[in-house]
Amino acid sequence: MDFDAVVRRRRMVRNYDPDRPVPAGVVDRLLNLAIRAPSAGFSQGWGFLVLEAPEDRARFWAATTPPGERSRSRVVAQPSTPEVSGGERSRSRVVAQPSTADGDRPLQPANPWLDGMRRAPLIIVPHSNRDIYLDRYAAPDKGWTDRDEARWPVPYWHIDAGMASLLMLLGAVDAGLGACFFGIPPESMATFRAAFGVPPEYTPIGAVTVGYPAPDRRSPSLRRGRREVDEVVHRGRWGAAAS
């Protein structure tokens, strides 16, 4: 796909077809794109947690969803008949089923966003590692031997992991898939780390769902409209509009 088309078509997809897994070759390609992102001092201080198995994805949502925002539908893996989807054979499918409060009356979904996102067959959680950057810039060719974080104008470890995430978002579009980058709530960080054994030096900067898009509603935020170039570009000095 033409690069301009990839960029223009990219949007945050919040609902997925649970019966179409992401082909293994596409998963590998997204990860190989991610590690091509720039990084300060070529530090490459990132790590990517890949969750494809239904039980791993269910554990992710259980660990990262605050109790007051839990979906009232539960996602379960069911065996499916063998079929080839996108070059890969699906062995299970994820089905949203209503849970019940008293065993006989189904509850309505409490969070449509969460219900749609939980259908994604792939979650990739990018992490940053500050220590790798501090160690790299204490090396002889850099010379900041005190490893002082105050030397950094902004936390490049997070920025670089964000750049890697964007490459995955664009790669998903190029592969005909949809993706969404979203944050993990601060109050859920401890449960997420415990659920997946994340080392303390790694910080999840967010998560990326990936899959084949299903019917979705446009974000209400899009009503704000996209800001034009001359609103955000300043040439020569701040306040000089783009020509």
Side-chain angles (χ1 to χ4, degrees):
M1 189 182 299
D2 177 78
F3 179 73
D4 284 352
V6 169
V7 173
R8 292 179 182 277
R9 291 185 186 185
R10 190 218 57 76
R11 71 179 187 87
M12 297 301 186
V13 172
R14 300 173 177 86
N15 193 26
Y16 301 89
D17 183 346
D19 295 325
R20 298 185 67 188
V22 178
V26 175
V27 178
D28 291 343
R29 179 170 179 261
L30 295 180
L31 295 169
N32 276 284
L33 288 173
I35 64 172
R36 302 293 299 184
S39 64
F42 208 39
S43 300
Q44 305 169 80
W46 42 50
F48 303 92
L49 177 66
V50 180
L51 306 175
E52 298 177 90
E55 58 271 21
D56 290 336
R57 289 183 277 119
R59 188 162 73 253
F60 171 85
W61 293 114
T64 61
T65 306
E69 298 179 12
R70 293 197 188 282
S71 166
R72 293 187 183 181
S73 67
R74 57 192 178 92
V75 177
V76 297
Q78 294 184 348
S80 63
T81 55
E83 61 181 24
V84 176
S85 175
E88 293 293 314
R89 186 172 298 277
S90 174
R91 293 187 295 175
S92 65
R93 60 195 180 97
V94 177
V95 180
Q97 296 182 343
S99 60
T100 58
D102 53 15
D104 58 6
R105 184 168 61 86
L107 296 173
Q108 296 300 313
N111 190 329
W113 178 92
L114 181 57
D115 289 343
M117 292 288 279
R118 286 182 64 156
R119 296 185 184 105
L122 171 65
I123 304 170
I124 301 176
V125 186
H127 296 69
S128 65
N129 187 322
R130 179 197 61 180
D131 291 342
I132 290 177
Y133 284 75
L134 298 183
D135 290 343
R136 171 69 187 95
Y137 275 77
D141 63 321
K142 295 298 183 182
W144 292 355
T145 55
D146 55 10
R147 298 180 77 257
D148 186 358
E149 186 177 342
R151 292 182 179 275
W152 294 81
V154 291
Y156 274 66
W157 37 95
H158 297 328
I159 292 172
D160 294 348
M163 291 184 181
S165 301
L166 178 57
L167 289 182
M168 290 191 289
L169 295 177
L170 295 176
V173 174
D174 191 49
L177 282 76
C180 182
F181 181 92
F182 60 101
I184 296 175
E187 62 269 29
S188 299
M189 286 293 187
T191 54
F192 167 77
R193 288 180 177 278
F196 295 99
V198 179
E201 63 269 22
Y202 281 90
T203 300
I205 66 159
V208 180
T209 48
V210 184
Y212 289 91
D216 198 3
R217 69 181 183 91
R218 289 171 60 85
S219 169
S221 298
L222 294 177
R223 300 192 190 105
R224 295 167 53 86
R226 190 177 303 281
R227 298 178 69 185
E228 298 295 335
V229 170
D230 59 5
E231 294 183 79
V232 298
V233 174
H234 309 268
R235 298 187 183 273
R237 62 177 295 156
W238 202 268
S243 58

